[in-house]
Amino acid sequence: MTAFVLALGLSACGINSKVERGDLDYENYSAQHIFERGEFDLANNKPSLAAKSFAEVERLYPYSDLTKRAVIMQAYSYHLDEDYEASRSAAQRYIDFYPTDEDAAYAQYLLALSYYDQIDEVGRDQGLTFQALQALRRVIEVYPDSEYARSAILKFDLAFDHLASKEMEVGRYYLRRDHFAAAINRFRVVVEDFQTTSHTAEALHRLVEAYVSLGLTDEAQTAGAILGHNFRATKWYEDSYDLLTRNGLSLEARGDNWLRQVYRQMIKGEWL
């Protein structure tokens, strides 16, 4: 977080701290006084009131030297208040108006957080996750040397893993109900598009289960072979090994199917 966000140890400077918000006539105060009132409210854990003051600086004094800071502080205050839409709007304004400013990276990071902080549950709208990924990628690519890039990378990986988790959740749902084709489609997405996530090993095992149930032994054995090469230390490999051997099958790449292509890519490095 930038230094000006951390330095909130300011007084209300001319605005009595006991004044209720409804009694404060913003137009009778300078940009400096209103801005410092916002900082005072932030320091007292009142982000909603702080955001209102910073917004008034922007509205009443659009050409003030404080206006630029007031916009980014709005984004920060709204985010603390969990008003993510308002935070995103303020952050986007900052990026639009001050794209080369040193705090543009922070504005982009706040914009990404406005999506990211709403995707903590697997069941939430996956559109938010895609938007978070796009915004985080912009932090990483446009501001790679900023102090926010590393955090953006970590959050990007977690959001990416979240998408794979959703595919797994739906795939398991179909598998439990013997809708094998629908389940396979979900697990295939994880194997092909989310290979770097923590869900790949389970997705391969679930493919073994689904293909064995359908009698598609080439696909089942190939999925097992990939598990054997890449995830031998996991319980998913052990479960697949037991399932295949009980059915008289081995863990080897067989046939000419999409998993055989994955096998060539992942094991032999033959990217087709």
Side-chain angles (χ1 to χ4, degrees), residues 1-8 39 42 69 72-73 76 80 103 106 148:
M1 187 177 299
T2 51
F4 75 82
V5 173
L6 296 175
L8 295 178
E39 289 186 315
L42 268 185
R69 290 179 61 192
I72 192 73
M73 292 298 281
Y76 175 66
L80 285 181
D103 286 313
Y106 183 55
Y148 311 105

Side-chain angles (χ1 to χ4, degrees), residues 106-122:
Y106 183 55
Q108 180 63 44
Y109 184 66
L110 280 174
L111 192 153
L113 287 182
S114 72
Y115 294 115
Y116 180 84
D117 285 353
Q118 297 181 80
I119 62 171
D120 55 341
E121 299 177 5
V122 171

Side-chain angles (χ1 to χ4, degrees), residues 3 18 43 46 54 63 78 84 89 130 132 149 172 180 182 185 200 217 222 227 247:
K18 296 182 180 179
K46 298 177 180 178
F54 295 131
Y63 304 109
Y78 282 128
Y84 297 116
S89 177
F130 282 111
R172 292 189 210 99
F180 299 117
N185 287 337
T200 306
T217 58
T222 304
L227 264 172
N247 285 274

Side-chain angles (χ1 to χ4, degrees), residues 221-267:
Q221 291 179 97
T222 304
I226 298 171
L227 264 172
H229 277 87
N230 287 21
F231 306 99
R232 186 177 289 269
T234 67
K235 68 179 293 291
W236 306 116
Y237 166 75
E238 295 176 2
D239 291 347
S240 286
Y241 180 87
D242 290 342
L243 177 59
L244 289 168
T245 54
R246 283 201 313 269
N247 285 274
L249 301 172
S250 59
L251 285 73
E252 60 179 316
R254 298 177 62 88
D256 185 18
N257 51 69
W258 72 271
L259 276 165
R260 187 63 181 270
Q261 293 181 1
V262 173
Y263 177 85
R264 287 196 293 265
Q265 293 168 357
M266 294 180 67
I267 310 305

Side-chain angles (χ1 to χ4, degrees), residues 116 118-129 158-159 161-172 199:
Y116 180 84
Q118 297 181 80
I119 62 171
D120 55 341
E121 299 177 5
V122 171
R124 294 295 294 268
D125 178 13
Q126 296 307 291
L128 290 170
T129 309
L158 289 171
D161 195 85
H162 177 89
L163 286 178
S165 178
K166 182 62 177 181
E167 294 295 331
M168 292 300 300
E169 179 187 48
V170 177
R172 292 189 210 99
H199 302 281

